[in-house]
Amino acid sequence: MPTLSKTFDDIQSRVINATSRVVPMHRQIQGLKLLMGAKKKAFGPRRPVPEFVESAIPDVNTLALEDIDVSNPFLYRQDQWRAYFKRLRDEAPVHYQKNSPFGPFWSVTRFEDIMFVDKSHDLFSAEPQIILGDPPEGLSVEMFIAMDPPKHDVQRSSVQGVVAPKNLKEMEELIRSRTGDVLDSLPLGQPFNWVPTVSKELTGRMLATLLDFPYEERHKLVEWSDRMAGAASATGGEYADEEIMFDDAADMAWSFSRLWRDKEARRAAGEEPGFDLISLLQSNDDTKDLINRPMEFIGNLTLLIVGGNDTTRNSMSGGLVAMNEFPKELEKLKAKPELIPNMVSEIIRWQTPLAYMRRVAKQDVELGGQTIKKGDRVVMWYASGNRDERKFEDPDHFIIDRKDARNHMSFGYGVHRCMGNRLAELQLRILWEEILKRFDKIEVVGEPERVQSNFVRGYSELMVQLTPKS
Amino acid sequence: MGKITFIEHDQTEHVAEFKAGSSVMQIAVDNLIPGIDGDCGGECACGTCHVIVSDDWFRKTGTPGGEEEQMLSMTPERASTSRLGCQVVITDEMDGMTVHLPEFQM
Ligand code: HEM
Ligand code: FES
């Protein structure tokens, strides 16, 4: 059956690409949803969609090594992840879990080994997915984060201009004024949830700018992205309803094709192209016809909105959590505001907004005394590498003037190294510069609510109370 | 011992002393030269130590290796004499070398 089913996938992708000229993309995706329903009836689901119900996670020291499963999406929420990864780093730095809900996989948990895997594109492939589990069946969009060279290089180079430092310099003032607006509108002296009011709001506005997306509809970008990264089958997230994801994909396809056509028309009418993503794609020979390759088209746009959404958002929240756990650092910062850039790196290290990237071994590889077999899934746990005591001194401490803070792994390494790293650093730097201008105290009141996922390490609720500068 | 000059994009010059055996990235980081981050610590895996070697010195530093070429190809400021500083091991012959820094690192 798998061969038949595989052929089916190939055909499906080709049919979509071929018909996109005549059938609107969102119609095709709606069609795909019906098709997938039919396929599941005929072949049965590829693997049952796992359902995650939270229960108390045992103390790691009561478990046999082989029973340790760091794919559990509640490990972070229950604050058990540090103990689990420390045990793996010390006792089984290259560890095999043979029956997780996502299937068997290897965990690589030491800084040095993660660096090796991330760098070795010849040994480890990023295809077809960089998350541990599978995306909803039939919705396997093509993104260059999950492509190997040389295809990866071509696609990346056609879009990276949108977040290139030159472009960012132009955007700095805009980002600063928006950040100021949001901070000026916050309630003073009473608790409010920082996540939707600040972190989501600022990242949503940024995405709308990068895509030149209708500003008043920007919440859509955030919602699509949240559901995409939060699929239960992919990351153990809270979204188990795959039907909704097809609807989302169709919605996205519709919105983005409209945006594409609109820009095309404006350009044809003689308007200067902007510096937004779609204009850049249309200016580049390799991608000017991308609209005719829908799975790739949606893939690249999705990558940008997912890549730039959760990650920066959770660093914006994470910095506050860190400051409140280590209050002396805020005093240090007030005395020496020039530490902000280094602090930004330290926030990103400490939070590690994306816990890992996944690879698949292209051949048998010896690592840490284990043999990883060709075809095995390998997870590089950045969250663990960033807390590896072999690399960082007092790794669990948040230290804003840490000397080697920039050496963190949160942006990955090698050809897939985060394309938005400078943008993320810029947004966080401005946020903290503007915070220091306005507030004397930023207290976290109440325990933060953490997101259910083995991939995204973030917050859904962070109650904060502000005291203005006197 | 020898000297190497780093010239920032705005033409600010910084002269640093070196001992043979170190790398251009390490010398820049040790001397706090602005504009070289060296995020990966010299693993050829971040592209934040990009320098453009002046033509006369490019023969001495040699051309980029395969991995290095791949990382360099991702920066828009790639020039014909670009190198990743961490992959250039300094020899006594490089005394007096100048390298230019790009406007931005990856
Ligand atoms: C603190 C914020 C961020 C973190 C922690 C982060 C993390 C990451 C990681 C871990 C990777 C994969 C690296 C690897 O496989 O070695 C990545 C790739 C990527 N990120 Fe980010 N990211 C952040 C912000 C952003 C932003 C703001 C954008 C875009 C606006 C973005 C766009 C991308 C893209 C397009 C890729 C794919 C690069 C490639 O495959 O060549 N990221 N990011
Ligand atoms: S220091 Fe990272 S590539 Fe040179």
Side-chain angles (χ1 to χ4, degrees):
Chain A
M1 222 60 92
T3 27
L4 226 159
S5 163
K6 172 85 178 73
T7 318
F8 191 97
D9 286 341
D10 287 348
I11 292 176
Q12 161 197 315
S13 199
R14 256 182 273 143
V15 167
I16 291 190
N17 286 341
T19 52
S20 70
R21 275 156 236 264
V22 281
V23 184
M25 207 188 294
H26 65 289
R27 279 284 157 68
Q28 293 179 45
I29 293 175
Q30 282 159 354
L32 203 57
K33 176 168 130 186
L34 297 176
L35 212 60
M36 279 304 129
K39 181 182 167 194
K40 273 186 197 153
K41 277 196 197 113
F43 301 125
R46 202 170 26 180
R47 179 182 297 143
V49 177
E51 270 208 41
F52 295 97
V53 180
E54 183 155 13
S55 60
I57 294 174
D59 178 339
V60 67
N61 295 311
T62 61
L63 298 177
L65 268 180
E66 63 183 32
D67 293 330
I68 294 179
D69 181 1
V70 282
S71 75
N72 186 317
F74 304 106
L75 212 54
Y76 177 62
R77 181 185 278 180
Q78 294 186 20
D79 204 18
Q80 292 270 19
W81 66 279
R82 268 171 296 180
Y84 270 67
F85 283 112
K86 178 154 182 15
R87 176 132 186 247
L88 288 190
R89 284 196 302 276
D90 289 344
E91 296 177 32
V94 178
H95 171 262
Y96 194 60
Q97 162 55 250
K98 58 176 184 302
N99 42 28
S100 88
F102 305 92
F105 70 100
W106 291 93
S107 285
V108 181
T109 49
R110 285 190 188 170
F111 186 96
E112 204 181 321
D113 293 336
I114 296 169
M115 178 71 88
F116 169 78
V117 175
D118 220 355
K119 269 177 63 169
S120 305
H121 323 113
D122 47 337
L123 301 177
F124 299 96
S125 170
E127 297 177 7
Q129 293 295 335
I130 46 77
I131 38 171
L132 180 51
D134 297 311
E137 199 168 353
L139 258 194
S140 175
V141 289
E142 297 177 30
M143 325 189 186
F144 63 85
I145 196 172
M147 286 177 196
D148 293 332
K151 200 173 172 201
H152 159 271
D153 309 358
V154 175
Q155 299 225 346
R156 173 164 170 149
S157 64
S158 64
V159 296
Q160 68 185 2
V162 71
V163 286
K166 244 200 171 74
N167 213 13
L168 296 186
K169 223 164 84 177
E170 311 274 324
M171 287 191 253
E172 176 158 353
E173 282 320 304
L174 181 66
I175 300 176
R176 190 177 298 281
S177 70
R178 285 188 183 160
T179 307
D181 287 349
V182 168
L183 294 182
D184 286 335
S185 71
L186 298 176
L188 299 172
Q190 71 186 66
F192 67 95
N193 187 357
W194 179 268
V195 176
T197 335
V198 180
S199 310
K200 271 197 187 187
E201 183 56 31
L202 284 176
T203 39
R205 290 181 183 205
M206 191 68 236
L207 286 176
T209 307
L210 289 180
L211 297 172
D212 196 14
F213 194 79
Y215 203 61
E216 54 302 343
E217 290 175 32
R218 63 186 185 276
H219 62 95
K220 285 191 185 166
L221 296 171
V222 175
E223 288 160 13
W224 289 330
S225 161
D226 279 358
R227 284 198 287 262
M228 209 68 97
S233 62
T235 60
E238 58 181 302
Y239 301 103
D241 186 348
E242 302 197 341
E243 302 265 309
I244 293 183
M245 287 177 212
F246 277 96
D247 296 340
D248 276 352
D251 257 5
M252 266 168 78
W254 190 74
S255 295
F256 290 137
S257 343
R258 201 179 44 166
L259 207 56
W260 180 285
R261 297 295 181 210
D262 179 49
K263 287 208 173 287
E264 220 168 32
R266 273 155 50 190
R267 181 179 290 207
E271 201 174 298
E272 277 292 303
F275 276 98
D276 59 280
L277 182 75
I278 290 186
S279 300
L280 286 175
L281 290 171
Q282 290 177 342
S283 303
N284 185 308
D285 272 347
D286 293 320
T287 46
K288 65 173 194 287
D289 299 322
L290 198 64
I291 189 100
N292 298 328
R293 305 194 292 278
M295 289 321 234
E296 229 177 278
F297 175 63
I298 304 185
N300 276 323
L301 288 159
T302 309
L303 177 55
L304 223 82
I305 62 175
V306 178
N309 181 38
D310 273 337
T311 50
T312 317
R313 175 204 304 174
N314 290 320
S315 311
M316 289 180 170
S317 306
L320 258 60
V321 177
M323 279 295 182
N324 272 266
E325 274 184 40
F326 300 89
K328 276 202 202 120
E329 300 303 299
L330 186 56
E331 295 314 313
K332 223 193 253 176
L333 179 67
K334 284 190 196 157
K336 273 181 124 183
E338 66 273 20
L339 286 174
I340 290 179
N342 200 71
M343 175 191 72
V344 164
S345 294
E346 177 67 351
I347 291 175
I348 296 170
R349 181 193 72 90
W350 191 85
Q351 182 61 34
T352 319
L354 298 181
Y356 66 84
M357 288 284 145
R358 178 192 110 177
R359 298 290 184 259
V360 173
K362 290 163 98 164
Q363 59 182 74
D364 292 4
V365 181
E366 297 285 327
L367 187 64
Q370 306 286 327
T371 307
I372 298 172
K373 289 270 179 226
K374 181 177 176 180
D376 286 355
R377 294 180 184 196
V378 180
V379 176
M380 306 179 282
W381 289 100
Y382 301 135
S384 171
N386 277 338
R387 300 297 178 98
D388 185 351
E389 36 296 275
R390 291 152 197 83
K391 170 73 186 174
F392 296 105
E393 216 172 293
D394 286 334
D396 289 332
H397 286 225
F398 175 70
I399 306 171
I400 65 170
D401 49 357
R402 181 186 284 284
K403 286 236 154 26
D404 51 0
R406 287 203 66 89
N407 295 154
H408 67 74
M409 327 200 89
S410 306
F411 292 132
Y413 282 112
V415 295
H416 288 288
R417 182 172 168 83
C418 179
M419 197 181 89
N421 61 341
R422 300 293 173 181
L423 173 60
E425 289 173 352
L426 178 68
Q427 287 178 275
L428 288 163
R429 174 168 65 75
I430 293 175
L431 174 64
W432 281 93
E433 286 168 358
E434 297 302 313
I435 285 178
L436 284 191
K437 281 186 201 160
R438 290 169 173 78
F439 309 116
D440 196 40
K441 272 204 274 182
I442 329 154
E443 289 161 288
V444 172
V445 290
E447 194 50 33
E449 232 2 278
R450 291 177 168 82
V451 167
Q452 166 188 334
S453 173
N454 58 32
F455 179 62
V456 171
R457 292 159 40 98
Y459 308 90
S460 50
E461 186 181 290
L462 181 64
M463 296 308 287
V464 168
Q465 182 163 323
L466 300 171
T467 312
K469 265 177 122 158
S470 45
Chain B
M1 293 286 269
K3 284 196 167 62
I4 172 169
T5 306
F6 294 88
I7 306 177
E8 285 186 72
H9 190 75
D10 66 5
Q11 303 306 318
T12 314
E13 294 194 8
H14 307 267
V15 180
E17 292 203 341
F18 68 72
K19 275 206 192 86
S22 183
S23 75
V24 168
M25 182 279 285
Q26 201 54 54
I27 292 162
V29 170
D30 292 347
N31 289 281
L32 303 176
I33 309 287
I36 294 213
D37 295 327
D39 288 357
C40 72
E43 295 278 341
C44 195
C46 70
T48 66
C49 62
H50 178 199
V51 297
I52 298 152
V53 182
S54 32
D55 287 338
D56 323 345
W57 292 96
F58 194 56
R59 265 172 299 125
K60 296 239 163 63
T61 63
T63 50
E67 267 184 31
E68 186 183 345
E69 189 59 59
Q70 179 122 42
M71 292 305 293
L72 279 172
S73 71
M74 302 202 295
T75 164
E77 292 178 73
R78 168 97 167 90
S80 58
T81 59
S82 284
R83 291 294 313 264
L84 288 179
C86 66
Q87 302 301 302
V88 178
V89 179
I90 291 281
T91 62
D92 286 322
E93 290 209 313
M94 294 180 198
D95 186 13
M97 178 162 79
T98 49
V99 300
H100 289 259
L101 304 186
E103 187 172 6
F104 304 105
Q105 294 286 353
M106 248 182 57

